[in-house]
Amino acid sequence: MTKYNIALLPGDGIGPEVVDATVKVMDALQKKTDIEFEYKTYMIGDAEKKRSGTALPQATIDGVKEADACLFACVGETAKETILPLRQMFNLYANLRPAKAYPGVPAVRPETDIMMVRENTEGIYKMIGHRSPRSAFNVRVITWEASERIVRYAFEWAKKNGKKKVTAIHKSNVLDYTDGLFLEASRSVAAEYPEMEYNELIVDAASMWLVMYPESFEVVVTTNMFGDILSDVTAGLVGGLGMAPSGNVGDDMCIFEPVHGSAPDIAGKGIANPAACMLSAAMMLEWLGENKAAKLIEDAVLKVLKEGKTLTPDLKGKATTVEFAEAVAKAL
Ligand code: IPM
Ligand code: MN
């Protein structure tokens, strides 16, 4: 029996609904495996800020630190005060954003199967800058250490997952200082993996290539802001953010999260699609080394999508969030 302490950070809007649905599935998983979960729920986001004055209370920070793994859903307007600082303060340097087509989910490019590895701690997200009345700047910080670390993560992920190709995306023709450094670090890491195909693409061309020839990509590695933008492009190839899971991972800590936002328009109606949150939980289990359990969740979600009988309204179905969760739990 392996026991994990899981910190739940439901946040705002549809967050609590999709997390509850995911916990239902994880509870069902406990009965199928020798894994046990102990959940602790922590406050985060707009509502918490309204209540206590801070969107990210110290108790939440401590809870994340103590947990074996965390599942965060979404916040409204306070992302800059919540998930961004959490990513940086705990050095969750790799943001993993897979894009795969799912059965029953209309995809522009069903042949897509890409793992986007986004640097998650620096770049323009350092939020260093200055505003004068009529001029402003933000500083883009790129370090050798973080660049090397993220590219190595991408290669190691590729190796572990039977992939053969890593593409680094940059804009070194303009951002000569910062992306010049990123590329140099990237090449030095690539040289350690002669068995892998390594190539480089400038970010504008990469955007076009991703849309036109997604099948030519396997693992993509890039800096923070490019990864933010391009991961929405790859999500768009396979049906949008509604189905996109992700993970913020470091060497010994992690926060997994569906990429979608808090969807205030449908919050509290019980019709949110919890699939991205469930798939994020599956990624979390994989990170914990529970590959079999991870696969069970992913397969169960895929089964329910494929059957097409219990889909939420965003997928043209009539099921509620709870009904979807029950169907996935049963499919386990
Ligand atoms: C994401 C989001 C965040 C980001 C926002 C909400 C701050 O777009 O996780 O992709 O820019 O990283
Ligand atoms: Mn984004």
Side-chain angles (χ1 to χ4, degrees), residues 19 26 28 48 77 105 126 128 130 155 227 246 285 323 332:
V19 167
M26 289 169 71
E48 176 58 17
E77 304 287 317
V105 181
K126 276 282 187 205
I128 300 168
H130 181 73
F155 273 98
S246 80
L285 287 165
E323 283 163 352
L332 276 175

Side-chain angles (χ1 to χ4, degrees), residues 155 158-159 163-166 190 193-198:
F155 273 98
K159 217 165 100 179
K163 304 292 182 188
K164 301 209 156 43
K165 202 194 286 184
V166 175
Y193 298 85
E195 72 284 9
M196 291 277 182
E197 187 183 331
Y198 167 71

Side-chain angles (χ1 to χ4, degrees), residues 79-80 83-84 87 95 97 118 120 125 224 228 231-232 257 259:
K80 239 172 86 181
I83 187 66
L84 293 191
R87 288 170 181 169
N95 194 325
R97 300 199 150 178
R118 165 188 177 190
N120 214 23
Y125 279 77
N224 206 341
D228 176 45
S231 61
D232 273 30
E257 61 165 311
V259 187

